[in-house]
């Protein structure tokens, strides 16, 4: 199993009486019991808090497992609930989005009225390009307001968005566009990252050389450099915005609850990335309900989730969840340390952020700069903190709690995945916390920790983490590959959803996630597959074969180490190592740039020809090599 250690500590951090007095949901045991006894009743109650064009006939259809359906027969559209309905109530003039540029020179704000107008304009433009219900649209942009408009505009017209993280590069983008047979791409001329410009349009042009399904490209101007515009195919967004078609009114498509809302590619252990499918109905209800309970979002809150929209956290808890709740969302273009390591603390102070949701890797990076940076700022607006993406080590937890939250703000350590769409194991504001544990399953969910045969392990023992109850925002399938969906998630432990993680449960029922048991690497919380890094290396002429593994890293959680077997005629020189690292960065993306390249004469393999990454990992860390009976010497 995983090499990551979590060290259970015994302290409990109950919320203060003062905090509890301001907390909406304190009857957790009661709600939990209700959801456990009547799963469908619980979720129907949550769904009733949202608006439907037609009510569902059946809450859950499990007649064709594992192809579960939720709110069967119901009609809705997530954008109706996230934008349209707020724009005609008391929230019309409430701020939906506050955006700040990386350099701090530009700020844009959008009320729910303005957000509705901007989404409608983009939706009209998308529709005018012949995009209709079910068509796939790839969005490849930086963190600017238009990426939010683009996602919502797609959903509004019933198109299926596929957001590709702006830190990915040519190969990753091309694979995702081709696999989804995308009709339209929405991108930018470029994006800013730590003061540098990333030329997104150039990367898009390269990727599109091999993507014949793409008919149109919309380009939003952000960085302002000259870019190539292909006649008939490429259109500046600002040029389209002045056309009569781009008016601020646009009908919202009526969607079946089970119609796909988006696909999001994520890495698995083998093969090409998996296209996770989420729906309008169940995903909407899950996003709304989980954020409502776990972050207790109130009208007066200013909510900041630091995730990029290119990942599931950005989808569910930067865009859809908070807007479904009618919240005010803060959205920042930049990262935590540019130009100085106080950037986030300064923004919390400037914008009066009350809920702050981020990742352990960022906390660890910021910790290294010391307490003086956060202490320069007034962080007293904060009420609640959140963590996601990997286990949070107790040291980072304590720093976050004490230095950022001043011992007053509970930390919601939320465990979930691209596949689950929403939180599955998480504390609530009223839960006593244990640093490093993501506490207990969300309402209605039942977790098991099992051995290789699917038998529950003893309390405190490590085992595979499985989810045993269906939930509305569960992935429905892998786009275009039902069999891989069944094989990946439902076959190892029949009837139960296999998460790919290992975990322990302590005597108080708290879950301690240890990490992935497959070949997924978590670099700074970003999920990468060894297979993707290896295929990128393979396109370099010097490489015969390679193996990528993740090794523990103090700040990033894991770092990418690659073992490379060289082609004849190539010398194992340091310059070549650097060249190979750059090659991966250019093709797959800067986030996937290997930390270390090591040349090896022959990769250790099993007799059936599978690379033994486990052995490479053990050797690299000087750990016992374990059972070598299958090794082909
Ligand atoms: O290993 C778990 C880890 O992140 C994986 C899912 O990655 P991804 O699909 O990219 O989604 C990340 C954001 C939801 C999980 O299988 N993970 C996520 N949250 C936690 C976590 N590990 C421990 N504690 C968490 N809170």
């Amino acid at each position: 199993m995983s090499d990551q250690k979590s060290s259970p500590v015994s302290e409990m951090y109950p919320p203060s009486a003062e905090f509890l007095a301001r907390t909406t949901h304190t009857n957790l045991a009661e709600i939990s019991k209700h959801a456990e006894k009547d799963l469908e009743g619980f979720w129907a109650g949550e769904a009733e808090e949202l608006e439907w064009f037609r009510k569902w006939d059946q809450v859950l259809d499990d007649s064709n497992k594992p192809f579960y359906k939720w709110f069967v027969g119901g009609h809705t559209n997530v954008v109706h609930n996230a934008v349209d309905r707020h724009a005609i109530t008391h929230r019309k003039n409430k701020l939906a989005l506050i955006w700040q540029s990386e350099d701090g020179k530009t700020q844009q704000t959008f009320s729910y009225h303005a957000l509705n107008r901007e989404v409608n304009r983009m939706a009209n433009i998308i529709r005018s390009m012949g995009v209709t219900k079910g068509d796939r649209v790839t969005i490849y942009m930086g963190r600017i307001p238009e990426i939010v408009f683009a996602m919502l505009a797609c959903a509004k017209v019933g198109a299926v968005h596929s957001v590709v993280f702006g830190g990915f590069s040519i190969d990753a983008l091309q694979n995702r566009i081709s696999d989804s047979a995308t009709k339209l791409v929405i991108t930018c001329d470029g994006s800013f990252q730590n003061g540098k410009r990333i030329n997104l349009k150039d990367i898009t042009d390269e990727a599109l050389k091999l993507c014949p399904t793409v008919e149109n490209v919309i380009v939003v101007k952000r960085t302002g450099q000259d870019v190539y515009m292909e006649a008939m195919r490429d259109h500046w967004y600002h040029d389209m915005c002045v056309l009569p078609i781009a008016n601020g009114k646009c009908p919202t498509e009526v969607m079946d609850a089970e119609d796909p809302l988006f696909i999001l590619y994520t890495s698995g252990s083998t093969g090409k990335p998996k296209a996770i499918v989420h729906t309008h109905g169940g995903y909407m209800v899950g996003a709304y309900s989980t954020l409502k309970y776990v972050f207790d979002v109130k009208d007066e809150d200013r909510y900041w989730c630091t995730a990029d929209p290119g990942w599931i956290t950005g989808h569910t808890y930067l865009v859809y969840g908070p807007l479904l709740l009618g919240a005010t969302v803060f959205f920042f273009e930049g990262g935590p340390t540019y130009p100085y390591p106080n950037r986030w603390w300064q923004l919390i102070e400037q914008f009066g952020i009350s809920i702050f949701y981020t990742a352990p890797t960022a906390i660890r990076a910021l910790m290294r700069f010391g307490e003086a940076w956060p202490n320069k700022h007034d962080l007293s607006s904060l009420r609640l903190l959140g963590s996601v993406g990997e286990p949070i080590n107790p040291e980072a937890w304590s720093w976050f709690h004490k230095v950022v939250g001043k011992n007053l703000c509970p930390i919601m350590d939320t465990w979930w995945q691209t596949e689950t769409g929403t939180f599955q194991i998480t504390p609530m504001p009223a839960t006593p916390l244990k640093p490093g544990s993501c506490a207990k399953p969300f309402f209605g969910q039942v977790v098991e920790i099992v051995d290789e045969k699917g038998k529950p392990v003893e309390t405190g023992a490590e085992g595979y983490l499985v989810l045993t109850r269906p939930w509305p925002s569960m992935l429905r399938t892998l786009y275009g590959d039902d069999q891989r969906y069944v094989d990946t998630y439902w076959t190892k432990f029949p009837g139960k959803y296999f998460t790919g993680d290992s975990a322990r449960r302590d005597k108080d029922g708290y879950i301690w996630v240890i990490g992935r048991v497959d070949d997924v690497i978590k670099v700074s919380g970003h999920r990468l597959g060894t297979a993707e890094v290896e295929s990128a290396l393979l396109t370099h002429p010097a490489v015969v074969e390679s193996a990528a593994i993740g090794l523990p890293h103090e700040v990033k959680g894991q770092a990418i180490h690659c073992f490379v077997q060289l082609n004849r005629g190539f010398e194992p020189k340091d310059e070549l190592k650097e060249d190979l690292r750059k090659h991966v960065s250019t093709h797959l993306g800067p986030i996937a740039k290997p930390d270390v390249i090591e040349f090896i004469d022959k990769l250790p393999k099993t007799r059936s020809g599978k690379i033994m990454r486990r052995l490479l990992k053990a050797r690299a860390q000087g750990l016992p090599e374990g059972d070598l009976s299958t090794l082909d010497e």
Side-chain angles (χ1 to χ4, degrees), residues 379-437:
L379 305 180
S380 61
S381 58
L382 290 171
R383 179 169 65 84
L384 208 52
L385 304 173
S387 170
V388 62
E390 55 178 313
I392 178 163
N393 47 311
E395 300 72 27
W397 195 98
S398 299
W399 194 84
F400 198 22
H401 192 250
K402 181 173 145 248
V403 180
V404 181
K406 313 296 177 203
N407 295 319
L408 295 170
C409 309
I411 300 173
M412 302 296 102
D413 180 356
T414 59
W415 179 93
W416 58 296
Q417 308 177 298
T418 308
E419 291 88 340
T420 68
T422 60
F423 309 144
Q424 294 303 304
I425 310 175
T426 175
M428 310 259 174
T431 310
L433 303 172
K434 295 192 187 194
S437 164

Side-chain angles (χ1 to χ4, degrees), residues 119-153:
V119 172
N120 286 345
R121 274 149 67 99
M122 197 172 291
N124 279 322
I125 290 171
I126 291 175
R127 258 202 191 123
S128 76
M129 292 179 162
V131 172
T132 55
K133 218 180 210 180
D135 286 341
R136 273 81 55 214
V137 175
T138 295
I139 299 172
Y140 179 61
M141 302 169 76
R143 285 195 286 261
I144 55 173
E146 286 82 356
I147 189 170
V148 179
F149 308 155
M151 291 166 73
L152 295 166

Side-chain angles (χ1 to χ4, degrees), residues 559-601:
I560 308 175
H561 282 233
C562 296
F563 297 86
V564 172
Q565 193 177 326
L566 287 179
N567 250 321
R568 266 172 209 220
F570 286 89
E571 295 282 320
K573 291 201 172 134
D574 283 349
E575 300 87 76
L576 182 55
K577 287 185 181 172
E578 201 41 44
D579 191 39
L580 290 171
R581 292 179 68 226
K582 273 200 201 124
H583 183 81
V584 176
S585 175
T586 310
H587 284 261
L588 187 54
I591 51 156
K593 190 173 187 175
D595 293 82
V596 177
I597 300 267
E598 218 173 287
F599 297 122
I600 192 166
D601 290 336

Side-chain angles (χ1 to χ4, degrees), residues 306 336 344-345 358-367 390 399 524 555:
T306 63
W344 278 5
W345 318 130
T358 190
T361 182
I363 304 293
R364 288 192 298 263
L366 289 164
M367 262 172 85
E390 55 178 313
W399 194 84
S524 303
V555 175

Side-chain angles (χ1 to χ4, degrees), residues 333-397:
E333 184 180 35
T337 54
Y338 180 82
Y340 300 108
N342 67 331
R343 192 70 175 106
W344 278 5
W345 318 130
Q346 176 246 321
L347 290 168
I348 289 173
E349 176 174 10
Q350 183 181 347
F351 291 96
I353 303 300
S354 52
I355 303 177
F356 181 60
Y357 186 32
T358 190
T361 182
I363 304 293
R364 288 192 298 263
L366 289 164
M367 262 172 85
R368 301 203 334 168
F369 293 101
E371 293 184 20
W373 291 98
N375 287 347
K376 272 175 29 167
H377 296 277
D378 175 5
L379 305 180
S380 61
S381 58
L382 290 171
R383 179 169 65 84
L384 208 52
L385 304 173
S387 170
V388 62
E390 55 178 313
I392 178 163
N393 47 311
E395 300 72 27
W397 195 98

